[in-house]
Amino acid sequence: MDKRTPDVVTVGEAMALFIAREAKPLAEVRDFERATAGAELNVSVGLSRLGFRVGYLSALGDDSLGANLLAFMDAEGIDRSHVRIDAAHPTGFMLKAMTDDGSDPLVEYFRRGSAASRLSSADLRDPDPWQQARLLHLTGISAALSDGCRELVFAMARQARAAGRLLTFDPNLRPRLWPSEAAMIATINDLASLADVVMPGLSEGRLLTGRNDAAGIADFYLERGARQVVVKLGPDGAYYADGDNRGTVPGQPVAKVVDTVGAGDGFAVGVISALLDGLPLRDAAARGNAIGARQVQFRGDCEGLPTREQLAHAMAPPPA
């Protein structure tokens, strides 16, 4: 394999993140901590820390927020040769409130008209070593950003499908980005039908499929072409299913939840990395649980994503 070929390719919007340092309404907060955000960027970080070569396709503004994100990608060892700089449109950013009770923090996005929203299938290069990557990871967020972004992710999905490469998909629903709930459901399910591995949350799966339980949600996607489905159950763990095996992997207890944002991306890192390591789906779900549980114990969207050594510690059985 060409040394320029990543193990994993993904596409999405990288954003600057400003996290409140005090548990107040965002309108009253004066002190913020700067970090990074973006579901696909989080997954890229997590897989790179585990030793995989990761290529990330995106666009950033020609501004200080974009420059900071480029430096962050370099520090994390992410191949950002396909990150385009757009001088006419800004880098998106978001504000995140602090919670002190383990609840989901309020998040405000500032991404309308961003550089990443201007992505389209014109950003695909042909020929490109990236087209030989072992795995393509997509989320429903990128498809929601604009017509051009939706065109891009579908083109990448069909390209990966035709080449027989593994395609993983996290619905990652963001209803406010869609013109209607019906449009969101139809597009997300169309994209999921191209994937080999689908990873919805339980509430997401109920909305997308109309099925009430994890087994029904898994069957919905298996019937539509997925080879493997993992349904995230939060603290209760994960339900996994493929053509031969299915079951539930229990969640990992967490002493104190610091920040729930990024837990689903950590779960995706666990599942994807385990599949790339050749592990069975049950073990992939267990690794997803472990990394998701670790991530919620850290402030920031990717700060808890582990190295290989930290992953081994996170998955070690508790002392007797």
Side-chain angles (χ1 to χ4, degrees):
M1 180 179 291
D2 192 308
K3 66 180 181 180
R4 297 171 298 167
T5 304
D7 297 306
V8 180
V9 165
T10 189
V11 55
E13 179 168 26
M15 290 180 290
L17 169 62
F18 298 93
I19 311 169
R21 290 184 180 271
E22 45 192 343
K24 293 181 178 180
L26 283 174
E28 299 177 16
V29 175
R30 297 178 62 86
D31 191 9
F32 290 85
E33 175 184 353
R34 182 173 179 162
T36 62
E40 301 85 0
L41 179 59
N42 295 337
V43 172
S44 298
V45 169
L47 291 171
S48 182
R49 288 180 185 173
L50 292 176
F52 296 99
R53 297 188 304 275
V54 184
Y56 181 63
L57 192 158
S58 190
L60 297 169
D62 186 14
D63 47 40
S64 61
L65 299 182
N68 179 264
L69 284 162
L70 290 177
F72 172 78
M73 293 177 205
D74 289 342
E76 292 290 343
I78 296 168
D79 181 349
R80 45 92 167 182
S81 60
H82 289 48
V83 176
R84 174 168 54 81
I85 302 303
D86 182 344
H89 299 89
T91 302
F93 70 95
M94 55 189 279
L95 305 178
K96 181 165 67 173
M98 173 191 282
T99 62
D100 50 16
D101 59 1
S103 60
D104 293 340
L106 175 68
V107 175
E108 290 187 359
Y109 295 96
F110 298 83
R111 65 199 314 175
R112 187 181 300 276
S114 68
S117 72
R118 312 295 294 183
L119 289 167
S120 73
S121 59
D123 287 286
L124 288 177
R125 303 177 187 175
D126 190 23
D128 190 336
W130 282 25
Q131 294 172 7
Q132 305 304 316
R134 296 167 60 191
L135 185 145
L136 171 66
H137 177 65
L138 300 175
T139 82
I141 299 175
S142 297
L145 294 177
S146 67
D147 291 344
C149 287
R150 187 158 52 255
E151 172 189 275
L152 172 62
V153 295
F154 271 97
M156 294 178 71
R158 293 188 179 107
Q159 187 182 79
R161 184 87 168 193
R165 294 156 53 213
L166 190 65
L167 172 55
T168 57
F169 179 65
D170 184 345
N172 233 321
L173 300 185
R174 296 291 188 273
R176 285 179 292 179
L177 294 177
W178 292 93
S180 69
E181 183 177 280
M184 176 179 71
I185 292 172
T187 306
I188 293 292
N189 284 336
D190 284 347
L191 195 50
S193 71
L194 297 171
D196 299 292
V197 184
V198 183
M199 299 177 283
L202 183 60
S203 61
E204 290 178 327
R206 286 170 172 162
L207 177 61
L208 290 168
T209 70
R211 312 268 178 103
N212 287 323
D213 61 3
I217 293 166
D219 287 339
F220 178 93
Y221 289 111
L222 291 172
E223 291 161 5
R224 284 158 178 78
R227 291 192 291 140
Q228 299 174 313
V229 181
V230 186
V231 182
K232 293 167 280 190
L233 306 176
D236 295 325
Y239 180 87
Y240 65 93
D242 57 23
D244 301 310
N245 303 287
R246 59 178 62 213
T248 301
V249 176
Q252 289 205 2
V254 174
K256 179 177 174 57
V257 175
V258 175
D259 187 345
T260 59
V261 178
D265 302 329
F267 184 90
V269 169
V271 171
I272 293 168
S273 64
L275 294 177
L276 289 172
D277 285 342
L279 299 180
L281 190 59
R282 176 183 174 83
D283 292 348
R287 186 183 288 186
N289 285 342
I291 295 182
R294 190 177 195 276
Q295 172 59 33
V296 300
Q297 299 176 68
F298 290 77
R299 279 170 56 80
D301 291 13
C302 66
E303 278 66 13
L305 299 177
T307 62
R308 285 281 177 176
E309 181 179 358
Q310 291 165 337
L311 174 61
H313 184 267
M315 298 201 68

